[in-house]
Amino acid sequence: MDMTSGKTYDIFWTVHMRKILFLAVLLLLSSCGKSIEKQTRDQVRKLSNAELNENQIRVFNVKDMGDSATAELEINTAVKMRKQDGNWLVEEIRIGSRKWEDIHRIVRAVDQIRIEDTMADMQVVRDAVRKYRSAKTDLTLDLDYPALIDLLYPEFISVPMREDAWDNPFTLLVTKEGFQIRSTGPDGKRGSSDDLVLNDEK
């Protein structure tokens, strides 16, 4: 294959989504007799107007938990790449016979959902801290985030939220004026422009 700079290439790519994508696939079991594997495959094939073939998706390691289930997937599809400064960059992923989706749009959409989820989690922790301060005492200036969660769980918070939606640990700053909960955001780098910050002042 002549991989000359500037050309776009369609290569087949097996996307291994084990324990990443659909690790918590919620399945409403219908009365039509279809297996969980079949129902999962059919739904994934058509996600967001995708048109994947049955043989492009393998469903395995299904765990039925009554009214919910988890399933691991392998998806065989293709990507288009473009060479830039000597490196091959993925630009599009195939979601059907002649249907391609910009990979950057997918990443941005996922990050936006993660931002919303992370902010919601920080708000839950903030509210739990307010309850703790009303019932107990104020936070000490040297308190860090893991120690904060240990104080809150399980009396003031039902789930010990220790990491953001990118699996990076939250951090805490306590001052005389209040406290600040922080996530490193999509890039995972502390102090960058996409950090997520929730302040609570007295």
Side-chain angles (χ1 to χ4, degrees):
M1 182 184 295
D2 178 19
M3 291 192 170
T4 307
S5 177
K7 291 185 178 180
T8 302
Y9 297 91
D10 175 359
I11 67 167
F12 286 94
W13 181 33
T14 299
V15 182
H16 295 282
M17 297 187 178
R18 300 181 180 181
K19 298 183 181 178
I20 299 176
L21 180 62
F22 302 105
L23 184 59
V25 178
L26 295 180
L27 300 173
L28 297 177
L29 302 181
S30 66
S31 60
C32 61
K34 291 183 180 178
S35 67
I36 295 180
E37 290 86 349
K38 173 67 174 175
Q39 293 179 66
T40 303
R41 186 181 301 108
D42 288 347
Q43 292 178 53
V44 173
R45 285 175 53 211
K46 300 174 183 178
L47 279 176
S48 189
N49 294 320
E51 296 177 354
L52 300 174
N53 297 323
E54 286 191 13
N55 59 8
Q56 290 181 260
I57 301 172
R58 176 181 171 234
V59 182
F60 60 101
N61 197 20
V62 175
K63 296 180 180 179
D64 185 353
M65 296 173 285
D67 60 351
S68 66
T70 62
E72 297 183 24
L73 307 176
E74 287 183 358
I75 300 177
N76 294 311
T77 185
V79 295
K80 288 182 180 179
M81 302 191 301
R82 184 173 296 277
K83 198 169 189 179
Q84 180 177 318
D85 298 328
N87 297 313
W88 289 101
L89 304 178
V90 175
E91 290 190 333
E92 296 180 78
I93 185 169
R94 190 174 65 193
I95 61 172
S97 178
R98 297 181 180 179
K99 299 178 66 174
W100 295 85
E101 184 64 63
D102 185 332
I103 196 73
H104 304 292
R105 292 180 60 186
I106 296 175
V107 171
R108 286 195 299 269
V110 171
D111 275 339
Q112 183 57 43
I113 294 172
R114 287 176 172 171
I115 287 171
E116 294 170 1
D117 289 347
T118 296
M119 290 301 300
D121 286 349
M122 290 196 295
Q123 289 167 6
V124 169
V125 175
R126 178 200 60 192
D127 294 344
V129 172
R130 290 175 176 175
K131 293 177 183 178
Y132 173 85
R133 291 192 305 192
S134 296
K136 301 288 185 177
T137 185
D138 211 345
L139 305 180
T140 60
L141 296 178
D142 62 346
L143 188 69
D144 61 14
Y145 189 85
L148 171 66
I149 294 300
D150 290 341
L151 289 176
L152 299 178
Y153 178 77
E155 184 176 356
F156 299 95
I157 194 170
S158 60
V159 177
M161 300 171 180
R162 301 183 185 277
E163 298 176 336
D164 61 20
W166 297 271
D167 297 326
N168 294 317
F170 287 114
T171 56
L172 174 73
L173 174 64
V174 181
T175 68
K176 294 180 179 179
E177 290 72 34
F179 64 92
Q180 178 187 93
I181 303 172
R182 181 182 289 268
S183 158
T184 54
D187 69 1
K189 298 178 181 178
R190 186 174 182 179
S192 62
S193 60
D194 69 358
D195 282 9
L196 305 178
V197 180
L198 184 64
N199 291 300
D200 189 87
E201 297 182 355
K202 297 178 182 178

